[in-house]
Amino acid sequence: PCRGVTPFRVSSSAAVTVHMTGSPASVRKLSSAASFPHVQPQNEEEAGKGHSWHAQAGWAVGCAGLVAGLGQLLSEEKVSAEEASSPAVEFAVTNNDTPQAIKTIERLAGGQAQDAVAAIKLVASKGLLTNPDLSVRKEALAALVALLDSEDKREAAWKAGLFKAVLTLASEASKSLSTAEHAAILPVASAALVKMADGKGKSVGGSELTSMLNLLNVPGAPGKPDVIEALKLISEEASTLSSLIKAGACKTCSELLADSSAPSSAKASAASLLANLNKFEGSWSASVVSKMPEWNAAVKGIAFLTVAPHPEEARQAAAKSLATILSSPTLSLQEEVAQAAVSALSLLISDQDTPTPLKSEALVGLRWASGNRGLLMVVSESPTPERVMAMMGEESETDVANAMGVLANLAQQSGEIAERLCVAGGVQAVVKGALLHRASLPVRETVATIMETLVATASDDCKMRVSHYATPVVLALARTQDEAMQVRALEMMRKLCMNNFNKFTMQKNFEVIQDLVPFLIRKHPTQQAIVAECLAHLASTDNAYYGENARAVGEARAMKPLMDLARSRDQRVHRNATWALACMTACERNHVPMRAAIDTLLQVVERGSPAAQRYAVMALSNMAATPRTRELLKEKQAEAILRKCAQANGNDRMLTELVNRTALLNLKRNGTQVFNIPPP
């Protein structure tokens, strides 16, 4: 009784048996018959006579058998869901039975994932979205939106060409918004567009992008948030950026951001779209978006969106977009707009009511801005540095690292800015953050960068403040397991020790000499050389003769490791260790304890490098000024060794004068002690 199926009167089992082959022809007949189980007359004669109850019951049993046959074929995967349902949908469309066609598609949508994909393909292949009947298009569109609930289904719809079909439907509806049916279609179509655009690799042509932008320009059109969200998702594919710029996306986004009646979600999507457009570096067919006349107004609109009374999600998206824009190496902004962007982000981190995620995005933006030479002065002259310092006590280590990154970028630009940060309490703020997140590697790296920058400046004030507040932090960095960080920290310590004021305060406040001596036994020559130099600088004070730091070096048991290092084959380690020993002899109280070092010093005089020989001669000259050590030097034939050294280095005027005018005189009598040991 069903069209396309040869009439037969059999039981359900017989019907199943006849069509169990699973051939395409059999499947089409089964699906057509099973989808329409109503009884139809076989011919005009039967139509005139009517059907008995027995006949109707027989046909009903037969159709039930057909359904069972299809079910078994599907379960055994002898036929796909699309093959089974396609004739039924086609028959329903041909006979204007739209409810039946949609019902078949919805039945597939409620099944397994492959059945839903089959339903999507049927929507495309049977032309339901291009049907002349508007109600058919509307129902098919609603069914399609319900289907697009996972990535594989959205991908199937995209590949089937449904994105263009839905866009065409939306464009037609936007031209007839006066009618209720068209007005109802547009938001549903917009929802379908954003679902299909959700994924990577979605390349859209210029004409389609223009159509989407035109939808945003229709006054009072519903569904704008979904359309701009779809454009944002499409812009994540780099190949579409040029087409979007040429289609006028920048202007549309700028107008949307300036529209007070536009939803917050739409503005947030517009901000994200602009951030993606700013990544485009230009080509022969399109210039960078920052050269567009609407660019500055758009960025200013994003800045206003971050601080305006909008939902947190929209403000956070705007702040993230602003940070992305500020990270561009080719950023071009008017000064007024740059000030607005920096001020907005600075205001966010200073407001106690600002949610933490929003503050985090603002800090990222400020870190990028502070690293941009074009925005440097804007950031440094704003209240940003002081507000960033207040963020050092945050619980989030990422926020603290970003806040420190802002200060590091500012300090690296000029010594004047670095000194200004120190005076404003930057060192104390960094120490606070470092102690709070001492186990965080990003924080540790940023702390090291800031401290390196401050101690490398020509400002003594910066060095004094770092030594006064951050010496424990620098020593903690030197104790990490990272060798590169150890070297960086010790190099910072070396520069701090070169300041005369720091020599006293660092030892008085932190007993830094006792902390540095254990580093001498490390196996890294670079670290050994740096630590030996630090001890030499610390011991070389103006009042070294009366003890002070020179005596502290001896009390810290530095002599033995320094003696070992003085024999090192590494020239720098060899010289610096001998230099440190010479500085220890500047204190008369060290002379007797240092008698064990006499053999080492004499060996350096005999076979050391020229620089190390000078320091060894100075050390022996100092020790010769003390009676007890002078006698020991005579016993070890120090005079002969010194004369031989002077003869071998006759061209070294400084060395020969040290030997002849100081060391030899002190050996003969209590002469002048050389206590001011100069650096190399």
Side-chain angles (χ1 to χ4, degrees), residues 147-355:
L147 285 168
L148 303 174
D149 59 356
S150 65
E151 179 60 30
D152 56 341
K153 297 174 187 177
R154 292 191 286 266
E155 188 69 25
W158 183 278
K159 291 180 178 179
L162 289 177
F163 185 86
K164 294 182 180 180
V166 173
L167 181 57
T168 302
L169 187 57
S171 299
E172 293 175 355
S174 66
K175 298 175 183 177
S176 305
L177 291 178
S178 57
T179 62
E181 288 186 340
H182 284 92
I185 283 179
L186 192 53
V188 182
S190 301
L193 289 174
V194 73
K195 284 191 174 185
M196 284 186 281
D198 186 11
K200 295 182 179 179
K202 300 296 193 299
S203 182
V204 183
S207 58
E208 287 83 8
L209 294 174
T210 302
S211 298
M212 295 180 72
L213 291 170
N214 289 337
L215 291 176
L216 296 173
N217 295 325
V218 177
K224 286 186 177 182
D226 283 336
V227 175
I228 191 65
E229 176 69 13
L231 284 169
K232 182 200 80 172
L233 294 171
I234 291 171
S235 68
E236 294 175 0
E237 176 62 31
S239 61
T240 63
L241 296 180
S242 176
S243 299
L244 279 167
I245 293 174
K246 288 190 292 183
C250 182
K251 181 179 180 181
T252 302
C253 290
S254 178
E255 293 173 351
L256 188 59
L257 287 167
D259 186 359
S260 58
S261 63
S264 301
S265 58
K267 291 187 175 184
S269 297
S272 300
L273 174 57
L274 283 168
N276 290 337
L277 293 178
N278 191 50
K279 298 176 183 178
F280 182 67
E281 298 180 355
S283 67
W284 66 271
S285 60
S287 61
V288 294
V289 70
S290 59
K291 295 182 179 179
M292 299 293 174
E294 306 86 5
W295 171 245
N296 283 281
V299 175
K300 195 172 183 179
I302 297 175
F304 179 75
L305 180 60
T306 61
V307 295
H310 289 285
E312 178 185 344
E313 185 177 355
R315 296 174 64 195
Q316 187 174 343
K320 184 176 182 179
S321 301
L322 195 56
T324 304
I325 291 172
L326 294 176
S327 68
S328 173
T330 58
L331 180 65
S332 176
L333 289 176
Q334 296 176 357
E335 184 177 357
E336 177 188 359
V337 178
Q339 291 175 349
V342 172
S343 298
L345 297 177
S346 179
L347 183 61
L348 287 177
I349 64 173
S350 64
D351 189 355
Q352 296 181 352
D353 296 330
T354 302

Side-chain angles (χ1 to χ4, degrees), residues 596-609:
I598 290 177
D599 289 338
T600 300
L601 293 172
L602 290 174
Q603 290 176 9
V604 174
V605 172
E606 287 181 314
R607 299 186 294 272
S609 65

Side-chain angles (χ1 to χ4, degrees), residues 22-24 26-32 35 70 73-75 77-91 101 104-105 107-109 111-128 147 156-157 159-162:
S23 64
S26 300
V27 170
R28 285 194 294 271
K29 293 179 180 180
L30 277 169
S31 58
S32 297
S35 299
L70 272 177
L73 289 173
L74 288 170
S75 66
E77 298 184 354
K78 291 183 178 180
V79 63
S80 67
E82 184 180 2
E83 290 175 329
S85 302
S86 179
V89 175
E90 183 177 4
F91 185 85
T104 303
I105 292 173
R107 185 166 61 247
L108 288 173
Q112 298 181 356
Q114 60 266 28
D115 297 338
V117 171
I120 291 172
K121 293 180 180 179
L122 287 173
V123 173
S125 62
K126 302 308 175 185
L128 295 179
L147 285 168
K159 291 180 178 179
L162 289 177

Side-chain angles (χ1 to χ4, degrees), residues 497-501 503-504 513 532-545 547-551 553 576 579-587 615 618 675-680:
C497 293
M498 294 172 67
N499 182 278
N500 288 327
F501 180 79
K503 295 177 183 180
F504 295 99
I513 292 175
E533 183 177 348
C534 288
L535 294 174
H537 282 300
L538 288 168
S540 300
T541 57
D542 293 337
N543 296 323
Y545 178 79
E548 296 183 334
N549 291 354
R551 183 179 181 183
V553 174
N576 289 352
W579 175 20
L581 287 171
C583 292
M584 289 178 64
T585 63
C587 176
Y615 284 120
M618 293 180 191
F675 56 84
N676 289 324
I677 308 296

